[in-house]
Amino acid sequence: MDIETLANLSREERRFAPPAEFAANANLTAVAYEEATRDRLGFWEKQAERLTWDTRWDRVLDWSNPPFAKWFVGGRLNAAYNAVDRHVEEGAGDKVAFHWIGEPADDARSITYSELKDEVCQAANALVDLGVQAGDRVAIYMPMIPETVVAMLACARLGAPHTVVFGGFSAEALASRIEDCQAKIVITADGGYRRGVPSALKPAVDEALAKLGSRSAVDHVLVVRRTGQTIPFDEVTDVWWHELVASQSVEHTCESFDSEHPLYVMYTSGTTGAPKGILHTTGGYLTGAAYTHWGVFDLKAETDVYWCTADVGWVTGHSYLVYGPLINRTTSVIYEGVPDSPHKGRWWEIIEKYGVTILYTAPTAIRTFMKWGDEIPAKHDLSSLRLLGSVGEPINPEAYVWYRETIGGGRTPVVDTWWQTETGAIMVSPLPGVSDAKPGSAMRAIPGIVADVVNDEGASVPDGTGGYLVIREPWPSMLRTLWGDDQRFKETYWSRWEGMYFAGDGAKKDEDGDVWVLGRVDDVMNVSGHRLSTTEIESALVSHPKVAEAAVVGANDETTGQAVCAYVILREAAGDGGSDIVQELRDHVARGIGAIAKPRQILIVAELPKTRSGKIMRRLLRDVAENREVGDVSTLADSTVMNLIAVGASTSAED
Ligand code: WTA
């Protein structure tokens, strides 16, 4: 996206002020902005006091060696103790931590904080039995079941960083993550439910480990029985969760760890083929997750029932389904399945039944519900809702207003929260009790965060103009580095402008200085709120024996935000590729990365538009994919190429 496009935004005049009662009782008020501006580090110290520390820090921030930050230096704490034990010790053991709802009807379980504590201790003891020590990495490849949260917390309790791999990723994607972080244990399940059908997970773990061979450091695979389906089971390496964990003691005394001890590694797509391992550490990350969850969602722990619909395999699941809510002693909903199983009203039925008060989801889901029609949510009583949140991609004003009116009954503030795997926690968002929200705008950096929009030279742009979204000051939940690659960390995020963090989004400041996030300006796509790298999908395509070259772009899509469109040149020997070539290539991408990366559209072309230096001009391919007039072709080595491609596109069918 170029600056011109960025600046060229339609005007949106609607404003939604917080209801008076909401504003009067809000956790965060306008004073917080002033406080944080006056004394930013002091403000963060106050937020860190939400946690229970075994040893208090002696310095808030060490920024002597940027971009390598240390927060709450010298402080010591245990993440799992903060999420679970302390609530039980303080007498809240009987409070429900999770209402877990399985996809099959009537498959549900409510888990109290004291039950959660027992299970986390048992799982921690089991991991110790399997030889896990502080610092060892544990990979988690699971469906959305309570054991997944238990497994994460058990790792955190032992100081063993977890790396949760989204259950929709393929064996190959899993293998590269297991290898990169040299995981010692994999925790998985036989399978999970998807649209009523058991779908296996364990075979993908076996395939990943077989593929890695001696490059894997995995000693054991701990397997939860969820579906009961038949899976391969190796008597030496594989261990059943119900056999090992259930027999453990519910007592486990936890150790405290340094504030900067690694808590987890979350892999995310970058602009190259290799996923990046984003490293989050303990004290700062938990401070950021807890503060934002309390402040942006205006959490009233005594009365709210909170539901974040993200999968635990993404950062949103980490910060706003596990760590933030548990630290804040929240009662949450966790739902295993998809929104349309067994029927399209499933989410609204859950909200009605459990009295959900806060819902946090992605624009893709909202647009899908819009498409399904108002009569579906109308069948349910959604009056318990008092706040709605959106994350993962820009929300278009129509979807925002629909969400507010149809789901929120016109009463609920909507917080459009901008953040990233790298930032660990929400950075730019309205405050629900303060902001006069504008549909489509993430508004302002929250108190404690210093964000800006800058031009190519790194200078702050005036109101009413577009540029790049940056963060000017370090913040507690920032990524500390890329796992095993300090150099790439510096180059990727800190090299464009001196002293500023940039992770690839374009944005506009409107006349009031409010921020409108416009999407990625690098080769990263956002499909249904899932981050995918164009290069990674291109590599997957090129690894197919019939493919000579491939170029991938993210094109606008009404429902998924962006969709993957691929342009492929076949090898001579492959001829026309055969009648099933498109399906064959789509399946190949699904095997290489996961079904989420399957191209919506594949065009077999004879040439790709390249500059004289050989760089593919994705901008032109995006024009074709979005059915636009093709832009300036003067820098192409061969300007006739686009005619061929455009003709090809108009005759190809989408599937
Ligand atoms: C995009 C998800 C517009 C953005 C938490 C960012 C958004 C990427 C918003 C990070 C939003 C996230 N408005 N765009 N409210 N929230 N994004 O790492 O492009 O999976 O860079 O983190 O999602 O995706 P990630």
Side-chain angles (χ1 to χ4, degrees):
M1 203 176 312
D2 53 33
I3 294 278
E4 261 169 78
T5 329
L6 291 176
N8 197 10
L9 247 192
S10 62
R11 296 188 64 82
E12 169 60 58
E13 300 290 346
R14 286 170 288 192
R15 300 285 178 275
F16 297 106
E21 202 197 324
F22 197 111
N25 295 305
N27 288 354
L28 275 179
T29 63
V31 177
Y33 290 111
E34 287 160 36
E35 249 181 74
T37 310
R38 212 177 318 118
D39 177 11
R40 194 172 55 88
L41 296 185
F43 181 83
W44 281 119
E45 283 199 286
K46 228 171 97 183
Q47 304 316 320
E49 280 159 12
R50 298 177 185 286
L51 302 171
T52 304
W53 297 77
D54 293 313
T55 310
R56 197 183 159 92
W57 58 92
D58 28 57
R59 239 175 114 186
V60 197
L61 167 68
D62 176 356
W63 190 233
S64 59
N65 179 29
F68 301 96
K70 291 196 178 116
W71 280 89
F72 309 114
V73 185
R76 295 183 72 83
L77 74 169
N78 185 288
Y81 176 84
N82 272 279
V84 186
D85 301 43
R86 62 173 182 160
H87 306 312
V88 179
E89 286 172 14
E90 288 164 17
D94 291 338
K95 185 175 163 88
V96 172
F98 288 118
H99 292 295
W100 174 78
I101 300 147
E103 198 192 73
D106 304 327
D107 197 0
R109 193 183 151 204
S110 293
I111 301 158
T112 64
Y113 275 93
S114 69
E115 286 164 345
L116 186 60
K117 175 173 174 282
D118 289 352
E119 290 188 32
V120 171
C121 289
Q122 287 184 308
N125 286 324
L127 291 175
V128 170
D129 267 11
L130 294 177
V132 174
Q133 296 180 355
D136 288 343
R137 273 80 62 203
V138 175
I140 299 179
Y141 185 64
M142 298 271 266
M144 291 277 282
I145 54 177
E147 288 83 352
T148 311
V149 179
V150 171
M152 289 166 74
L153 293 168
C155 291
R157 191 174 188 93
L158 298 175
H162 51 73
T163 187
V164 182
V165 179
F166 173 56
F169 275 126
S170 67
E172 197 147 330
L174 175 63
S176 71
R177 287 155 173 81
I178 291 175
E179 183 182 12
D180 190 76
C181 72
Q182 286 291 291
K184 194 168 163 165
I185 302 279
V186 180
I187 306 178
T188 188
D190 48 0
Y193 287 97
R194 230 183 134 69
R195 296 210 161 75
V197 185
S199 137
L201 280 170
K202 168 71 167 45
V205 176
D206 294 338
E207 197 185 324
L209 297 183
K211 191 178 141 62
L212 290 174
S214 62
R215 287 181 290 139
S216 147
V218 173
D219 301 328
H220 290 288
V221 180
L222 185 54
V223 190
V224 176
R225 182 177 280 161
R226 164 70 184 129
T227 57
Q229 65 200 113
T230 312
I231 47 156
F233 203 84
D234 180 307
E235 295 302 330
V236 182
T237 52
D238 299 345
V239 185
W240 282 113
W241 174 285
H242 61 266
E243 286 174 5
L244 183 69
V245 177
S247 61
Q248 300 290 330
S249 157
V250 296
E251 300 297 328
H252 177 271
T253 311
C254 62
E255 228 186 290
S256 57
F257 295 99
D258 191 273
S259 176
E260 283 300 332
H261 189 81
L263 180 62
Y264 68 83
V265 179
M266 159 78 24
Y267 285 88
T268 187
S269 295
T271 51
T272 67
K276 304 178 288 197
I278 307 294
L279 174 67
H280 284 294
T281 58
T282 310
Y285 170 79
L286 295 179
T287 297
Y291 156 61
T292 50
H293 180 257
W294 170 84
V296 176
F297 297 117
D298 189 52
L299 185 87
K300 307 287 194 265
E302 294 299 315
T303 45
D304 275 321
V305 178
Y306 162 88
W307 184 14
C308 164
T309 67
D311 191 281
V312 71
W314 308 105
V315 74
T316 308
H318 282 50
S319 299
Y320 298 111
L321 188 127
V322 179
Y323 290 109
L326 290 177
I327 290 195
N328 291 331
R329 200 186 285 181
T330 311
T331 295
S332 299
V333 163
I334 300 185
Y335 172 52
E336 179 188 31
V338 294
D340 55 351
S341 185
H343 58 81
K344 290 188 169 127
R346 188 77 199 263
W347 280 24
W348 319 125
E349 186 180 84
I350 291 173
I351 290 175
E352 181 171 9
K353 174 158 181 203
Y354 292 89
V356 173
T357 57
I358 304 172
L359 177 68
Y360 190 34
T361 193
T364 296
I366 300 166
R367 288 190 294 264
T368 304
F369 294 131
M370 271 174 89
K371 222 164 49 184
W372 290 347
D374 295 9
E375 59 288 358
I376 297 174
K379 287 196 204 111
H380 298 272
D381 177 5
L382 305 179
S383 61
S384 56
L385 288 169
R386 65 178 196 93
L387 177 66
L388 302 175
S390 168
V391 63
E393 32 168 342
I395 180 162
N396 47 311
E398 292 62 40
Y400 179 108
V401 172
W402 183 88
Y403 192 31
R404 197 189 138 89
E405 300 300 324
T406 312
I407 303 306
R411 335 169 278 285
T412 56
V414 175
V415 286
D416 172 11
T417 63
W418 176 86
W419 60 293
Q420 306 176 306
T421 306
E422 290 86 342
T423 69
I426 294 167
M427 305 293 278
V428 182
S429 168
L431 293 187
V434 179
S435 316
D436 279 352
K438 304 172 183 174
S441 169
M443 305 298 289
R444 290 173 64 181
I446 61 166
I449 298 299
V450 186
D452 198 1
V453 181
V454 300
N455 64 16
D456 280 316
E457 284 71 49
S460 188
V461 301
D463 290 348
T465 16
Y468 307 97
L469 186 56
V470 296
I471 312 295
R472 288 187 175 276
E473 298 288 347
W475 66 101
S477 64
M478 63 198 282
L479 78 166
R480 295 303 191 261
T481 189
L482 295 180
W483 185 256
D485 202 344
D486 287 349
Q487 194 52 34
R488 189 173 173 202
F489 167 62
K490 283 202 237 175
E491 280 163 16
T492 310
Y493 304 105
W494 302 92
S495 64
R496 189 134 172 194
W497 302 288
E498 181 70 33
M500 282 187 237
Y501 167 87
F502 174 56
D505 279 303
K508 181 188 160 156
K509 274 192 228 167
D510 66 16
E511 304 298 339
D512 306 322
D514 291 322
V515 173
W516 297 67
V517 181
L518 300 169
R520 307 289 306 197
V521 292
D522 55 10
D523 292 332
V524 172
M525 273 176 291
N526 200 323
V527 178
S528 300
H530 299 151
R531 236 168 109 169
L532 298 169
S533 139
T534 50
T535 334
E536 202 180 345
I537 303 173
E538 285 166 3
S539 320
L541 284 165
V542 173
S543 74
H544 189 282
K546 289 182 185 168
V547 175
E549 241 188 296
V552 165
V553 296
N556 288 334
D557 184 280
E558 219 175 273
T559 307
T560 60
Q562 284 188 308
V564 181
C565 293
Y567 296 80
V568 169
I569 303 181
L570 296 178
R571 287 173 192 263
E572 291 231 6
D576 69 355
S579 58
D580 291 337
I581 183 69
V582 168
Q583 197 50 43
E584 202 175 313
L585 294 179
R586 293 181 80 232
D587 292 344
H588 184 73
V589 173
R591 265 195 308 281
I593 302 173
I596 48 167
K598 260 189 186 183
R600 177 189 73 182
Q601 202 177 3
I602 294 184
L603 296 170
I604 308 294
V605 294
E607 291 289 347
L608 287 170
K610 289 186 185 159
T611 60
R612 285 169 201 97
S613 61
K615 196 171 173 282
I616 295 173
M617 293 193 68
R618 289 204 180 79
R619 170 173 63 81
L620 301 177
L621 295 175
R622 221 171 284 129
D623 287 342
V624 175
E626 293 173 358
N627 298 319
R628 257 198 314 273
E629 181 123 354
V630 173
D632 181 13
V633 295
S634 57
T635 51
L636 282 182
D638 173 0
S639 60
T640 60
V641 167
M642 285 318 293
N643 301 338
L644 289 172
I645 292 177
V647 170
S650 63
T651 55
S652 90
E654 279 179 20
D655 73 325

